[in-house]
Amino acid sequence: MTEKHQSDSPLSNPMDRRAMLRRSGAVLGLGAILSACAKDFGGDTSPGRVGLADPAAVLPDGTLDDLAVVRTMQSLEHAVVAALETMSGAGLYSAAQATYIERFVADHVAASETLGAAAVAAGGSPYACPNEWFMDRYVLPVYSAVESSDDVARDTRSATLAFETMLAHSYQHMVGLLSVPAHRKLLMTLGSAASRRSALLSILWTAPSHGYLGPALSDEASENDAAGFPIHYAVPASFGLVSQIPVVVGKPDDEGSRYQTSFQTPAENTFVYDYMSC
Amino acid sequence: MDRRDDMTTPKGSGSVTNSQGDAPNYDRPTDVRRRLLAGGAAAAAVAVVGGRTVAAAPSALSQSELDLLKYAQRLELTARDLYDEAISSGLDDPLLEAMSEQHEAYAHGIAGLTGLSADSRNDELFGRLRTSFRGAGALQSAYDLESAAVATHLEVIGILSDVDAAELVASIISAESRHCVVLADVLGRGNELGATLDNDAAAILP
């Protein structure tokens, strides 16, 4: 009895080799069909997100062309105006200094108008606003350190000289990014004026104690003074520079360190691309 | 504290603090030639300095650009020789020596870029200015020449299409602009915003 039941059940029959191959082929075939059809099943295949924050904004691709360079320099002129006017408004300049700071501001405003006109001529629009990146990274923190310094007059001079020198370096640096010779001439006309302002401040504030010529030209010149502050020379090197401008301002902290930064010529994160407006 | 601000009284919107309170401190020894030889950007330019001429690798610049740069190069060698005239006539000063060296470096820089030997000056210009550089007005003549050189290079950079050449000329413009301000101060005109900040000079064109 028992033997008969076992022999009648298909599940109890021992699988022969032929049956196993037949069944395995059917399973594989069904799997292949399901895999081929899986893309039609719908549903979200993205990895998913944690939390309810808005999706990150996707920035447009900016094109670095002559227009972007011109607008970037216009934004830097406005940033320097903001810096000078902020320090002037806070009464950080002496009456004597104010005479040439006013002239500098007028020069920067005129330069901005020239650059704005060049932007329009190049088929774009002016950018008559301070460069946000430069303001956030340099102007605002430097001003905060200067106004709370243990020697406000010294640090006002250092910051002003560094801002003007940054413009001189930036104009020269930008020449290599421009393609139209007329734009190069325009920027270096303004760059020449920036170099003159930088040299004038060095002559007024540095030359009496440190001379005109920088370490690249004089054995006796040094990079920093006895207190560790960088010295900006009227003629720092034989050729015009595009290097970083070291800035040390502010009162010493508990460890004796002051706020330090380095102004740099514009890079990708500083450029004012055509899609940006203010 | 700004020593000059302390010592002087503002003279209105057209003047800055008097720069004559202290004698300019430029009478310090320099070894400019050695510095130039060790310098970064100038290194390529003066890599083969030893004599007074430099030749370098040929360039892909157009003939019109080469002609333009040759003109600029000769202007720089003329400036060097005029400074040397002033020095040899008794105005021996490290600052003028440095400026002479720098103008030579600019000529060598052009040579390094173009392959044009730095072997000739603008004789007509040299002859026209030589006397003024040997007299009492040498510093004023130097100021005028630097201002004119800046104006000239601005014309040059407005024509050049080659970006490397434009970058070199831009660096020369920056440096010579600074020369103008220093010379204005040495002349006792450091308190004149017009002399220090403005450049009304005409370009020296062929």
Side-chain angles (χ1 to χ4, degrees), chain B residues 179-201:
Chain B
H179 291 179
C180 294
V181 186
V182 169
L183 287 166
D185 193 52
V186 175
L187 280 164
R189 301 177 66 191
N191 61 340
E192 298 177 22
L193 288 179
T196 53
L197 299 182
D198 297 331
N199 185 6
D200 299 324

Side-chain angles (χ1 to χ4, degrees), chain A residues 26-41:
Chain A
V27 169
L28 290 174
L30 180 60
I33 292 170
L34 290 174
S35 297
C37 296
K39 61 183 178 182
D40 297 329
F41 289 173

Side-chain angles (χ1 to χ4, degrees), chain A residues 212-214 216-218 234-240, chain B residues 30 32-33 35-36 42 45-46 76-77 79-80 83 94-109 146 172 174-176 178-179:
Chain A
Y212 295 123
L213 305 176
L217 303 170
S218 170
V235 183
S238 292
F239 289 81
Chain B
T30 59
V32 179
R33 192 180 302 273
R35 293 285 187 175
L36 286 173
V46 298
E76 294 302 335
L77 293 175
R80 176 202 64 188
Y83 274 108
L95 180 66
L96 299 187
E97 185 183 321
M99 291 190 177
S100 171
E101 300 277 1
Q102 287 171 19
H103 286 291
E104 186 177 67
Y106 304 150
H108 291 159
E146 296 281 1
I172 296 172
S174 295
E176 291 181 343
R178 289 176 173 274
H179 291 179

Side-chain angles (χ1 to χ4, degrees), chain A residues 94 96-97 99-100 103-104 157 172 175-176 181 184-185 188-189 192 195-200 203-205 207-213 215-221 233-236 238-240, chain B residues 1-5 15-17 24-26 28-30 32 34-36 42 102 105-106 150 154-155 157-158 160-161 163 166-167 170-171 174-175 177-178 180-182 185 195-199:
Chain A
S94 68
Q97 291 169 343
T99 59
Y100 47 87
R103 163 66 194 265
F104 288 5
R157 293 194 300 271
Q172 183 182 323
V175 165
R184 295 178 186 145
K185 178 182 179 182
M188 278 316 298
T189 300
S192 172
S195 291
R196 282 173 170 258
R197 287 191 297 270
S198 172
L200 174 59
I203 286 169
L204 292 172
W205 297 338
S209 51
H210 299 287
Y212 295 123
L213 305 176
L217 303 170
S218 170
D219 284 336
E220 295 188 0
Y233 293 90
V235 183
S238 292
F239 289 81
Chain B
M1 176 62 74
D2 181 347
R3 294 164 59 191
R4 296 181 180 191
D5 284 355
S15 63
V16 297
T17 52
N25 184 16
Y26 61 87
R28 52 181 56 202
T30 59
V32 179
R34 184 179 58 77
R35 293 285 187 175
L36 286 173
Q102 287 171 19
Y106 304 150
V150 170
L154 284 171
E155 294 300 321
I157 203 171
L160 291 171
S161 59
V163 67
E167 286 183 312
S171 73
S174 295
S177 299
R178 289 176 173 274
C180 294
V181 186
V182 169
D185 193 52
T196 53
L197 299 182
D198 297 331
N199 185 6

Side-chain angles (χ1 to χ4, degrees), chain B residues 112-145:
Chain B
L113 180 76
T114 62
L116 297 167
S117 295
D119 58 359
S120 62
R121 68 186 178 209
N122 182 331
D123 283 330
E124 187 278 328
L125 180 64
F126 178 80
R128 181 149 47 94
L129 299 179
R130 182 181 185 186
T131 303
S132 66
F133 269 81
R134 295 188 66 86
L139 290 173
Q140 180 63 50
S141 297
Y143 172 85
D144 293 340
L145 178 62

Side-chain angles (χ1 to χ4, degrees), chain A residues 11-128:
Chain A
L11 295 176
S12 62
N13 288 341
M15 185 182 293
D16 61 14
R17 187 163 60 95
R18 188 181 304 277
M20 184 189 73
L21 289 173
R22 196 162 46 234
R23 291 175 184 175
S24 299
V27 169
L28 290 174
L30 180 60
I33 292 170
L34 290 174
S35 297
C37 296
K39 61 183 178 182
D40 297 329
F41 289 173
D44 189 354
T45 58
S46 66
R49 303 176 68 239
V50 177
L52 300 173
D54 293 334
V58 178
L59 292 175
D61 291 329
T63 302
L64 179 56
D65 52 13
D66 282 23
L67 179 59
V69 170
V70 168
R71 280 157 51 90
T72 300
M73 289 313 304
Q74 187 181 16
S75 73
L76 290 179
E77 291 280 3
H78 279 273
V80 174
V81 168
L84 299 186
E85 289 190 333
T86 300
M87 289 190 284
S88 180
L92 305 189
Y93 293 115
S94 68
Q97 291 169 343
T99 59
Y100 47 87
I101 295 301
E102 287 174 8
R103 163 66 194 265
F104 288 5
V105 170
D107 284 355
H108 293 308
V109 171
S112 168
E113 291 172 355
T114 300
L115 291 164
V120 171
S125 58
Y127 192 89

